[in-house]
Amino acid sequence: MAEPVDARCARELTAVFEELGAADAGALAALEALCFSSPWSEAQFVSSFGQAAFRAFGLRAAGRLAGYAAVYCGADELELLNIAVLPELRRQGLGARLLDGVLQAARKTGMNRGLLEVRVGNAPARALYESFGFAPVGRRKRYYADTGEDALVYQLDLASREECCMRKIVAANWKMYKTRGEAAATATALRRLLDGNMPEGRDVVVFPPFLAVSAVAEALAGADRMAVGAQDVYPAAEGAFTGEVSPAMLRDGGASWVLVGHSERRHVLGEDDAFVGRKAAFALEQGLKIMVCVGETLEEREAGRLEAVLARQLDAAFAGVRAAGCGDLAVAYEPVWAIGTGKVAGPREIAEAHALVRRLLVRRFPEFGNNVAILYGGSVKPANAASIIALDNVDGLLVGGASLDAESFSAIVRA
Ligand code: 13P
């Protein structure tokens, strides 16, 4: 017999948090009292969480209960009853982590909708929910007995990620390596290893240097699920732009994708956010799929600016973008300190950054942001690829050094 949704959701949630039971009611009530003006009584906790569909999940820090989420699991919707975090830990993003875990569990168990109620006057909570894509759908008059305040009902469409976008993209960025002959030979070897034999649910995109785009496109013509892209583009149809290449020229050469905003273009060639945004908008308008690269430097990460940097880069990149659907674009998260250094970001760092990118995508593209592929890049090798691609919100890999050799890259595609 199929496992009930409630049980599956609980299992997914306990992978992220610890399930709390009646024995924790005292700690929960104390936490509630700190976080809310009208805490539940111990009896309310025990009776509520004693029922199968109501559950509370906690996050402990330094040996004590630091936050919890109480949920009600319906047949296809998850209602978030309460979410609370110790005030002194709020700034560390614990509330967002709790909410992210709850939504991940709901998505994994195939729920279609997330629902919650929030006090009209609770601006920080409303901002948090809105940043995850929740939108107000109704209002309950004088819902809160203690203050007589109204509640806003927020809803989030959790519809499972579309089939087309569930595929994982494994991309090779050959940077400034390989002549035309070398590129064609590597592409031919890749085709021999992968064509007709592509692992289930994988798509390959190869980004050779400009001069080799058409040679690689010829070598891969007609191959199953193997596409070609360019590493850069200029945002104009034609004109006096010495040294630049237009979207139409790239399409003519056989490219269907283009990278925009790669960290080497930002940091070595001096491209700024606004220029990246012009490229993204124009390339998409001209019929190319765009893979927008973002990532923080070590200095930015250590200064606690990860979220601010990713938000700034993505906001600028998508400022003029009119995407029609999730298949038009992808985002590659490449922490600058992990590119070509042999230093891979750890699973927590990757999952945290990808969850941030997901939230920003959902906010920017409410209808399909949940389905846009987010790739990880930075020192990906055959030995670490499988564990990275299995992480939540990692929908593919963008590989530099280890993609130059056909055997090594095909091992990553199979990971
Ligand atoms: P490496 O895989 O060589 O670290 O490069 C990553 C990258 O920049 C891909 O675009």
Side-chain angles (χ1 to χ4, degrees), residues 107 129-135 155-159 162 318 321 323-326 329 358-372:
R107 282 198 179 98
Y129 298 135
E130 284 166 17
S131 79
F132 276 81
F134 275 95
Q155 189 173 308
L156 174 68
D157 183 7
L158 291 167
E162 288 169 31
F318 292 133
V321 161
C326 61
L329 54 114
R358 175 69 66 213
R359 273 164 54 199
L360 294 163
L361 280 168
V362 168
R363 189 159 68 188
R364 165 72 57 178
F365 305 112
E367 318 81 58
F368 60 81
N370 194 31
N371 296 326
V372 171

Side-chain angles (χ1 to χ4, degrees), residues 31-105:
L31 179 61
E32 273 263 312
L34 262 173
C35 300
F36 295 107
S37 50
S38 59
W40 282 16
S41 69
E42 203 165 310
Q44 274 172 306
F45 274 113
V46 175
S47 70
S48 293
F49 300 134
Q51 294 172 29
F54 289 93
R55 287 168 193 269
F57 297 88
L59 204 61
R60 287 185 201 272
R64 64 181 170 153
L65 188 61
Y68 81 95
V71 300
Y72 170 80
C73 307
D76 75 339
E77 69 184 28
L78 177 127
E79 189 170 350
L80 195 64
L81 302 171
N82 252 340
I83 184 159
V85 169
L86 284 177
E88 66 268 31
L89 295 176
R90 256 174 228 160
R91 233 168 281 120
Q92 293 177 14
L94 226 58
R97 239 176 88 202
L98 273 163
L99 185 54
D100 193 48
V102 170
L103 296 177
Q104 270 177 37

Side-chain angles (χ1 to χ4, degrees), residues 173 175 262 264 334 338-341 377-381 398-402:
N173 175 7
K175 307 193 178 186
H262 190 277
E264 285 141 22
E334 301 198 298
I339 296 179
T341 57
S379 297
V380 174
K381 304 281 179 262
L398 179 56
V399 190

